[in-house]
Amino acid sequence: QVTLRESGPALVKPTQTLTLTCDFSGFSLNTRGMSMSWVRQPPGKALEWLAFISWEDDTYYASSLKTRLTISKDTSKNHVVLTMSNVSRADTGTYYCARSLARSFDWNYGMDVWGQGITVTVSS
Amino acid sequence: QSVLTQPPSVSGAPGQRVTISCTGTSSNIGPGYDVHWYQQIAGAAPKLLIYGDGNRPSGVPVRFSGSKSGTSASLAITGLQAEDEADYFCQSYDSTVNAWVFGGGTKLTVL
């Protein structure tokens, strides 16, 4: 059974760095074609893709957030980490990690397993 | 402003058929990049409903189908049921920004 679970702070102050962890089980990120992404959703708004990391450590980021995001993986610990620097109130929302099978970044099979999400509020 | 355009809302009575459109451009849906659809029931995480334009993951009812033509894609739901009331999002790859992009989402109301 494949499971994903996000963890991190529920509340962060503006200008701080947000660090989120996605612990997963039931598959290996060393397997060819496996990849993980982070997606967020501000309250009452649409989904927004943030970052992607592949089994071979290729990374991609949303262009508007590229300078503030870092995605990394630790296959020995079965987790993926997203850091977002210099947060503001606009970064408030629910953050999801999701798995996908991808031949390449532009040729994939959708995000087939999602975590339950973690709600993050940015406030002083 | 989302890269992919969806109607904000659609509605239908139980048993009816509804469609949700997803309009893109020559840098995403147009060149043939795959479109995926997600269902998000209130308070829950999104769920993959359709992948690769028209493929259903195991467990998704055949009432859900996807198609694509030109720079647009569509999700069709036949035999509408109360449990289908949810938000639906389309997603694809965009070559201009080299990123995955979502539609703005469509709220389906079952009357």
Side-chain angles (χ1 to χ4, degrees), chain A residues 108-110, chain B residues 34-38 48 50-53 89-91:
Chain A
N108 64 89
Y109 300 95
Chain B
D34 284 341
V35 177
H36 316 297
W37 290 90
Y38 302 87
L48 181 64
I50 296 288
Y51 68 93
D53 301 338
F89 296 90
C90 59
Q91 179 246 318

Side-chain angles (χ1 to χ4, degrees), chain B residues 6-47:
Chain B
Q6 298 179 235
S9 63
V10 297
S11 63
Q16 284 189 333
R17 177 181 188 270
V18 296
T19 61
I20 298 172
S21 62
C22 175
T23 302
T25 68
S26 58
S27 65
N28 41 68
I29 298 176
Y33 295 115
D34 284 341
V35 177
H36 316 297
W37 290 90
Y38 302 87
Q39 177 193 60
Q40 186 178 33
I41 293 172
K47 169 190 170 184

Side-chain angles (χ1 to χ4, degrees), chain B residues 25-95:
Chain B
T25 68
S26 58
S27 65
N28 41 68
I29 298 176
Y33 295 115
D34 284 341
V35 177
H36 316 297
W37 290 90
Y38 302 87
Q39 177 193 60
Q40 186 178 33
I41 293 172
K47 169 190 170 184
L48 181 64
L49 202 62
I50 296 288
Y51 68 93
D53 301 338
N55 301 288
R56 282 184 307 277
S58 174
V60 173
V62 296
R63 306 185 293 106
F64 295 91
S65 63
S67 63
K68 186 172 76 178
S69 178
T71 57
S72 291
S74 289
L75 173 71
I77 310 172
T78 58
L80 207 55
Q81 299 181 5
E83 65 202 51
D84 298 332
E85 190 160 286
D87 292 323
Y88 293 83
F89 296 90
C90 59
Q91 179 246 318
S92 186
Y93 166 79
D94 188 286
S95 60

Side-chain angles (χ1 to χ4, degrees), chain A residues 36-41 46-53 59-65 69 71 100 105 111 114, chain B residues 91-93 97-102:
Chain A
M36 295 286 282
S37 285
W38 285 92
V39 175
R40 72 178 179 182
Q41 186 172 36
L47 300 171
E48 178 184 19
W49 172 80
L50 300 176
F52 167 104
I53 188 165
T59 58
Y60 299 88
Y61 299 97
S63 54
S64 61
L65 295 165
L69 296 176
I71 188 171
S100 58
F105 183 57
M111 291 174 272
W114 294 65
Chain B
Q91 179 246 318
S92 186
Y93 166 79
V97 293
N98 193 27
W100 289 3
V101 291
F102 280 99

